[in-house]
Amino acid sequence: MKIILNLIGISVIFSIGFIVGAWWNYVHTINKQIERIDEYLKKENERFELIKGGKGDKNN
């Protein structure tokens, strides 16, 4: 009986570790995607301002 309880306890600990690891990976991935979107929008906004103001070439 004690062996079975130990196995269940170990399984629970590994399951919790797996869930925490998967959650951390999800949060990290979402944050990276948000950073990429922010960078893209910043570049597009600068490009739009250049085109709108006629201060530069489209390729800048």
Side-chain angles (χ1 to χ4, degrees):
M1 184 69 174
K2 189 174 183 180
I3 293 173
I4 293 173
L5 289 177
N6 283 340
L7 289 175
I8 290 173
I10 291 170
S11 297
V12 167
I13 290 172
F14 278 110
S15 296
I16 291 171
F18 178 79
I19 290 168
V20 169
W23 174 80
W24 177 259
N25 188 35
Y26 172 76
V27 169
H28 183 70
T29 301
I30 293 297
N31 286 339
K32 286 292 182 185
Q33 288 176 345
I34 290 171
E35 289 174 8
R36 288 184 193 132
I37 291 170
D38 285 343
E39 286 297 318
Y40 172 77
L41 291 175
K42 199 180 299 181
K43 288 178 185 176
E44 285 298 310
N45 190 32
E46 290 171 1
R47 183 174 166 259
F48 175 75
E49 290 296 326
L50 286 173
I51 293 171
K52 179 181 166 190
K55 297 179 184 175
D57 191 20
K58 286 184 180 180
N59 297 327
N60 284 343

